[in-house]
Amino acid sequence: MIKPPRIALTMGDASGIGPQLLDALCSQPELHQLCCPVVYGNVAVLKRAAQHSRSGLEVIAVDQLPDEFESQPGTVFCIDRGQADVAEAVPCQVDARAGQGAYDYLVSAIDDCLVGKVDGITTAPLNKESLNRAGIEYPGHTEILADRCQVADFGMMLYLPHSEVIHPPAGLGIVHATLHTSIASVPGLLKTDEIYEKTRLISELSQIMGAAAPRVAVCALNPHAGEHGLFGDEEARIIAPAVERARAAGLDATGPLPADTLIRRAVYGEFDAVVAMYHDQGHIPFKLLGFDQAVNITLGLPIVRTSPSHGTAFDIAWSDVQPDIKGIMEAVRAAVKLAAHQNRPQTT
């Protein structure tokens, strides 16, 4: 029988919604049918979340995962290799202690995944300002993952599964040529080689998600795709050569196309994947289409990493508002699917 994958669930920022998300998630029988979950986070904070919700979740502190274990609803192993003072971080506020903890949990999960102790990682949200206050100068999860895994070609992809709204049969993905940077810096950061690489990466990922021959559309940077140079020349000078290179490599790539109409065409099934030129060009339409279902997938890593697309939700964290786990559950489903493809199945 094929063993379910071990999925590391990182707590993220302990002052935010992450601990409550993991408490609610690990209490769901569906999670334990999908995988063997293991939390990387602060034991005391996760127990506090369980007390807050009255979920009855039993948190078992371990230093290492046992070679064999069965996953059971209402029980979860927790590996705590962070600083003890994370439990003292102020809820719903930017706090350096929570930032340091979020980094420690993520790095610990990455290292275990790289050596095969877990099969994939699903991350709860972290807070970039808390990271910065802890002296950790990364703009987010994606860059930490890439650095720790020592990869140069990587990308952040948002993915929405097939639904009544999302028509492509294997769902729709969007990857970003530039990521956490200012809008003013985007034109200078665009590179033909990197746009080509993002096109290749998202084509490969779309195949794993079920698109037999992925159709990739590449966004223009400027309105109306520059109107033949009237509004800018980045399309002709930088983006079009990347599309031509992708086609020469055998990829089904189209563009550069005006982003406003391209996204609509993709949603209605004309494309399986999209390459956006900057963060909000991709994030805004995807979060409008499916804020609660959108999954963040890091491309180009030797390991699997997914996450929900929302943030730390300081406005509702540690309140009586029930956390919505649809996004993180979709992220786990994606991690399980990707892990099954990436890792050789184990049998007993």
Side-chain angles (χ1 to χ4, degrees):
M1 154 176 105
I2 297 176
K3 292 182 179 180
R6 296 182 174 194
I7 300 298
L9 306 173
T10 63
M11 181 175 284
D13 192 298
S15 295
I17 200 72
Q20 292 167 283
L21 281 176
L22 298 190
D23 166 50
L25 181 67
C26 293
S27 300
Q28 297 297 313
E30 180 185 356
L31 175 72
H32 300 267
Q33 293 167 2
L34 284 168
C35 67
C36 291
V38 182
V39 171
Y40 285 68
N42 185 277
V43 172
V45 173
L46 187 57
K47 287 182 176 180
R48 187 190 307 159
Q51 292 169 353
H52 183 86
S53 69
R54 300 183 178 89
S55 67
L57 179 69
E58 182 183 2
V59 181
I60 303 171
V62 294
D63 295 324
Q64 299 283 346
L65 284 177
D67 291 335
E68 299 288 339
F69 75 93
E70 292 185 4
S71 179
Q72 296 181 354
T75 301
V76 70
F77 286 120
C78 183
I79 295 176
D80 186 350
R81 299 178 189 146
Q83 303 293 323
D85 63 359
V86 172
E88 301 170 11
V90 180
C92 308
Q93 292 185 23
V94 171
D95 193 304
R97 293 167 292 192
Q100 183 66 54
Y103 176 79
D104 292 340
Y105 309 142
L106 177 61
V107 166
S108 181
I110 293 168
D111 290 348
D112 279 0
C113 200
L114 284 169
V115 297
K117 293 180 180 178
V118 292
D119 301 301
I121 305 171
T122 295
T123 60
L126 54 71
N127 184 281
K128 296 172 178 60
E129 190 175 350
S130 294
L131 275 183
N132 185 262
R133 287 199 184 180
I136 300 164
E137 297 181 354
Y138 290 95
H141 273 118
T142 304
E143 294 82 1
I144 297 171
L145 282 148
D147 192 27
R148 196 73 179 182
C149 293
Q150 298 183 357
V151 298
D153 296 324
F154 61 93
M156 186 176 80
M157 168 183 169
L158 292 183
Y159 171 77
L160 283 168
H162 173 77
S163 67
E164 292 181 356
V165 175
I166 303 300
H167 291 206
L172 181 62
I174 189 163
V175 68
H176 304 74
T178 63
L179 196 50
H180 297 118
T181 189
S182 68
I183 292 293
S185 68
V186 168
L189 292 173
L190 291 178
K191 302 289 186 292
T192 297
D193 287 351
E194 293 180 9
I195 296 169
Y196 162 75
E197 189 61 26
K198 299 300 187 292
T199 305
R200 184 188 66 80
L201 287 171
I202 201 167
S203 181
E204 290 179 356
L205 194 284
S206 297
Q207 277 192 308
I208 296 171
M209 301 308 285
R215 302 156 298 168
V216 183
V218 180
C219 290
L221 172 66
N222 298 298
H224 302 238
E227 286 279 16
H228 302 288
L230 193 62
F231 303 144
D233 67 350
E234 288 84 1
E235 284 72 23
R237 182 167 51 87
I238 301 171
I239 305 172
V243 176
E244 291 168 7
R245 182 177 170 190
R247 288 178 185 154
L251 304 179
D252 186 348
T254 305
L257 299 173
D260 52 356
T261 54
L262 182 161
I263 301 295
R264 184 177 188 275
R265 291 167 64 183
V267 166
Y268 280 98
E270 192 172 340
F271 305 109
D272 303 293
V274 175
V275 180
M277 293 301 106
Y278 56 92
H279 185 283
D280 283 7
Q281 192 179 53
H283 271 60
I284 289 173
F286 261 56
K287 290 191 175 183
L288 280 170
L289 289 164
F291 185 82
D292 294 327
Q293 289 81 35
V295 176
N296 183 335
I297 301 173
T298 308
L299 306 182
L301 301 178
I303 61 174
V304 170
R305 181 265 174 160
T306 67
S307 75
S309 65
H310 60 74
T312 47
F314 282 168
D315 55 332
I316 62 170
W318 297 103
S319 72
D320 292 330
V321 176
Q322 186 72 15
D324 189 337
I325 64 169
K326 289 196 293 290
I328 198 164
M329 186 67 84
E330 287 291 347
V332 171
R333 289 193 190 100
V336 168
K337 189 170 188 176
L338 293 169
H341 180 272
Q342 183 158 314
N343 301 329
R344 182 175 297 174
Q346 298 176 321
T347 59
T348 58

